[in-house]
Amino acid sequence: LWMKLLSYNHACADLRAARRAGEVRLGELGSPGSHDWAICAYPTNLTVRNLAYFLAAPTLCYQPNYPRSGPIRWKWLTRRLAELVVVLTAGMVLVAQYLEPAILNSMVPLKEMNWLRLCERLLKLALPNTYCWLVMFYCVFHLWLNIVAELLSFGDREFYKDWWNAPTLGEYWKLWNTPVHKWLLRHVYFPALRSGMSKYPAMILVFFVSAVFHELVLGVPLHTVRLWAFSGIMLQVPLIFLTEAIREKLKRDEAGNIVFWLTFCVVGQPLTVLLYAHDVYLRHRNTVV
């Protein structure tokens, strides 16, 4: 909600400045090449209905008008809802039968700092953790956001791209979560460039903001702020340069893609899950089982 309201404030300020300069922004009614779905222009967009639609829409970046789809496809919507229930159930089974036991069995090696057993448990955790992550991705980005878009006749359905083929970690972060990527570009990266910051410091600032958000998303519900998620996101910056260098040296996209899958799914995510689980169990249990 905060990200949406910030985007609404920034976009309206930009539209107001454009109107004072006698300009009409792209996407507004009356702009050059405007589409039939462009039905309003600033300040006629400042209504409760327009704001409520934006708050409900599956996007984080505000604009007065959005592409619209046709009538609601009720059969398609019913299939997606049924699919969501089935996939969520499969995710719950994965968590209960595979992920949670793997985490519990890793507590003693982590407490004793038995590095050999800890590496074995980490590898054992990697597979169910990856499955759960893919289930989460499919439920949120492919099913839920499309369900909301269908109910609102929201026409822009580009919620992700083919991140699984990403040749570098930098490409992965551009492809995997399109709504957040666009928000960070629009409200962090480009304003940083306009303020005089160069490309690479602006990129680091984007990852810093993303790292803070990741830490809040995990730390607040778990009531533990240990900066594991923050550190994991900030470590993406050197890994981006590493995968870029590997891709450039070998002239092959597959090499960077392999590094992405190894660092992200085999080491990074399982280790982060294990560290947060360890902190939670230490806080809520007198002894670690």
Side-chain angles (χ1 to χ4, degrees), residues 26-29 33-40 50 53-54 57-71 145-146 148-159 182 186:
L26 290 175
E28 289 189 273
L29 180 65
S34 60
H35 300 275
D36 54 359
W37 43 263
I39 58 175
C40 66
N50 185 274
Y53 182 86
F54 167 61
T59 181
L60 295 174
C61 294
Y62 176 76
Q63 57 190 57
N65 306 284
Y66 293 97
R68 306 301 290 268
S69 58
L145 292 182
N146 273 293
V148 174
E150 187 70 21
L151 289 171
L152 296 175
S153 297
F154 187 81
D156 185 1
R157 307 290 178 94
E158 191 180 64
F159 304 123
K182 290 180 178 177
R186 183 176 180 181

Side-chain angles (χ1 to χ4, degrees), residues 69-97:
S69 58
I72 297 176
R73 300 168 292 173
W74 292 105
K75 289 184 179 179
W76 181 93
L77 189 63
T78 303
R79 289 197 298 270
R80 296 292 82 77
L81 286 169
E83 193 175 345
L84 180 64
V85 172
V86 171
V87 178
L88 279 176
T89 303
M92 293 173 65
V93 171
L94 284 170
V95 170
Q97 295 296 321

Side-chain angles (χ1 to χ4, degrees), residues 32-198:
S34 60
H35 300 275
D36 54 359
W37 43 263
I39 58 175
C40 66
Y42 186 87
T44 58
N45 64 305
L46 300 178
T47 63
V48 174
R49 181 177 181 178
N50 185 274
L51 176 59
Y53 182 86
F54 167 61
L55 293 178
T59 181
L60 295 174
C61 294
Y62 176 76
Q63 57 190 57
N65 306 284
Y66 293 97
R68 306 301 290 268
S69 58
I72 297 176
R73 300 168 292 173
W74 292 105
K75 289 184 179 179
W76 181 93
L77 189 63
T78 303
R79 289 197 298 270
R80 296 292 82 77
L81 286 169
E83 193 175 345
L84 180 64
V85 172
V86 171
V87 178
L88 279 176
T89 303
M92 293 173 65
V93 171
L94 284 170
V95 170
Q97 295 296 321
Y98 298 99
L99 190 62
E100 188 174 358
I103 292 173
L104 287 173
N105 291 334
S106 304
M107 292 297 101
V108 172
L110 186 59
K111 182 182 180 182
E112 297 175 350
M113 287 297 152
N114 187 329
W115 296 106
L116 187 62
R117 288 190 62 199
L118 190 57
C119 290
E120 183 265 334
R121 295 298 179 180
L122 191 66
L123 291 174
K124 191 172 182 179
L125 180 62
L127 191 60
N129 179 79
T130 301
Y131 284 154
C132 290
W133 174 57
L134 292 174
V135 166
M136 179 277 298
F137 164 79
Y138 191 79
C139 286
V140 174
F141 292 95
H142 188 72
L143 294 176
W144 178 248
L145 292 182
N146 273 293
I147 288 170
V148 174
E150 187 70 21
L151 289 171
L152 296 175
S153 297
F154 187 81
D156 185 1
R157 307 290 178 94
E158 191 180 64
F159 304 123
Y160 63 91
K161 297 179 183 178
D162 58 336
W163 55 265
W164 47 89
N165 292 326
T168 66
L169 273 171
E171 289 297 315
Y172 162 78
W173 287 109
K174 295 176 184 178
L175 301 173
W176 121 269
N177 187 341
T178 303
V180 171
H181 173 65
K182 290 180 178 177
W183 188 91
L184 288 169
L185 282 179
R186 183 176 180 181
H187 301 292
V188 180
Y189 184 74
F190 289 133
L193 292 181
R194 288 195 294 269
S195 69
M197 193 176 290
S198 60

Side-chain angles (χ1 to χ4, degrees), residues 4-16 54 62 187:
K4 281 179 174 273
L5 292 178
L6 180 68
S7 180
Y8 185 80
N9 176 268
H10 285 185
C12 288
D14 182 64
L15 291 168
R16 183 165 57 251
F54 167 61
Y62 176 76
H187 301 292

Side-chain angles (χ1 to χ4, degrees), residues 197-218:
M197 193 176 290
S198 60
K199 177 182 176 181
Y200 291 114
M203 182 189 73
I204 295 173
L205 176 63
V206 167
F207 275 93
F208 175 82
V209 173
S210 178
V212 171
F213 285 165
H214 278 80
E215 186 63 38
L216 289 175
V217 167
L218 290 173

